[in-house]
Amino acid sequence: GMKTAIQAAFDAYTLATGGRVAEVYEAPANLTDDVLAQYYTGASFTDVAGGKVSDAGTVVYASGTGMMGPVPVAVFFDAGDSIIGAIADTSAETPGYGQPLGEGEFMDSFIGVSSGSEVDGVSGATITSDAIKGAVDIAIANLQTVKEAG
């Protein structure tokens, strides 16, 4: 019975579009309209399961397991499906180590990559940086499914 209940919960949080299935993640707490405006000037977004869509691009949510638990991530794709930025809610991660990775230089290193593995981890915050890199890979894998949900 427990296995069935757990599977039902997971199934409730998947998005199936065009024969593809993607796990649905929640937006990071630090994803605000002001942050979106930095990447998509004047764009209007529609909320869909697993992200946001607009003519200017797509925002895909994902998550990885950090040192202290889930690390929600939002990856920003332009209209051509290239990564133009990303943010992560690292507020629950280790102060001084994992917490600073959620915005700024580390997140900017994902611009233009086609895989999270192209980005070097951060010494002293390896678990958090690996969680973010993994989440970026999930977002890349889920991009088409989120786009089609719009």
Side-chain angles (χ1 to χ4, degrees), residues 60 62 75 77 83 113-116 135-144:
V60 181
V75 180
F77 296 89
I83 296 176
V113 303
S114 58
S115 170
V136 168
D137 285 338
I138 291 169
I140 291 168
N142 290 348
L143 173 61
Q144 291 306 315

Side-chain angles (χ1 to χ4, degrees), residues 80-147:
D81 297 344
S82 294
I83 296 176
I84 58 172
I87 62 166
D89 180 2
T90 54
S91 60
E93 293 297 287
T94 308
Y97 295 97
Q99 280 183 358
L101 299 184
E103 296 177 11
E105 186 177 327
F106 179 69
M107 298 308 293
D108 288 345
S109 62
F110 292 98
I111 295 170
V113 303
S114 58
S115 170
S117 63
E118 294 176 34
V119 175
D120 290 333
V122 176
S123 181
T126 304
I127 294 172
T128 304
S129 57
D130 284 350
I132 294 169
K133 290 167 48 172
V136 168
D137 285 338
I138 291 169
I140 291 168
N142 290 348
L143 173 61
Q144 291 306 315
T145 305
V146 172
K147 284 175 65 170

Side-chain angles (χ1 to χ4, degrees), residues 30-55:
N30 56 340
L31 178 62
T32 64
D33 289 340
D34 289 340
V35 170
L36 283 175
Q38 291 174 7
Y39 293 93
Y40 304 100
T41 305
S44 178
F45 281 89
T46 301
D47 290 320
V48 297
K52 295 177 175 289
V53 295
S54 90
D55 290 340

